[in-house]
Amino acid sequence: MQKIQLKVKKLLPEAKLPAYGSEFAAGADLYALSENPIRIAPQETAIVHTGLAVEIPEGYVGLVFARSGLATKKGLAPANKVGVIDSDYRGELRVALYNHTKYVQTVEPFERVAQFVIMPYVAAQFEEAEELSDTVRGEGGFGSTGTK
């Protein structure tokens, strides 16, 4: 498994660094930074601060995913499904948590609110084309490859 150094700046001294829950976890937990519990009304979004900024190396991207426990037990998941943190962003990591339930949900101070995954990426050079190569699948999409 490849490991890289990732510089993390605490914007406030009480902020918690991301932490992996197990030896082979792909995502490091991000923690809510707030003095009080954060109440999220049904079908509403709250911006949850982490108090952290990161320096992601060029050629890598930070992806913010839902924590499965928070999503299944409390119905809370990132509003944008997957947050994309580019290598040139130096602002605070914040998580927009959406409440999918019909009940008010609460995020406690220092509760784990998302997973942070660092991945390499390839940038494309977009080239306009008159035609694309043919494939067996062609233009079939949205379930076109079979139902059972």
Side-chain angles (χ1 to χ4, degrees), residues 85-132:
I85 311 300
D86 298 310
S87 62
D88 57 350
Y89 177 68
R90 293 296 184 270
E92 181 185 15
L93 295 179
R94 294 169 292 173
V95 180
L97 279 184
Y98 180 78
N99 180 355
H100 290 271
T101 74
K102 53 186 175 181
Y103 306 102
V104 173
Q105 298 295 337
T106 303
V107 174
E108 297 296 331
F110 302 107
E111 185 171 353
R112 297 172 296 170
V113 292
Q115 297 184 76
F116 190 50
V117 176
I118 304 296
M119 295 182 63
Y121 70 91
V122 176
Q125 285 188 310
F126 298 98
E127 174 185 335
E128 186 175 350
E130 293 294 323
E131 297 291 327
L132 301 176

Side-chain angles (χ1 to χ4, degrees), residues 30-32 38 40 45-51 64-67 70 76-80 83 85 92-98 107 112-116:
L30 293 175
Y31 297 86
I38 301 165
I40 307 174
T45 299
I47 302 298
V48 179
H49 295 269
T50 67
V64 179
F65 292 100
R67 290 195 72 253
L70 196 65
L76 297 175
N80 55 342
I85 311 300
E92 181 185 15
L93 295 179
R94 294 169 292 173
V95 180
L97 279 184
Y98 180 78
V107 174
R112 297 172 296 170
V113 292
Q115 297 184 76
F116 190 50

Side-chain angles (χ1 to χ4, degrees), residues 1 20-27:
M1 166 182 15
Y20 292 101
S22 68
E23 182 181 1
F24 297 109

Side-chain angles (χ1 to χ4, degrees), residues 25-81:
D29 292 322
L30 293 175
Y31 297 86
L33 181 64
S34 66
E35 291 181 9
N36 301 304
I38 301 165
R39 294 172 48 86
I40 307 174
Q43 314 302 305
E44 296 289 335
T45 299
I47 302 298
V48 179
H49 295 269
T50 67
L52 303 174
V54 295
E55 185 176 322
I56 298 171
E58 185 177 323
Y60 289 84
V61 62
L63 301 175
V64 179
F65 292 100
R67 290 195 72 253
S68 59
L70 196 65
T72 59
K73 294 176 184 170
K74 289 188 174 183
L76 297 175
N80 55 342
K81 306 306 178 207

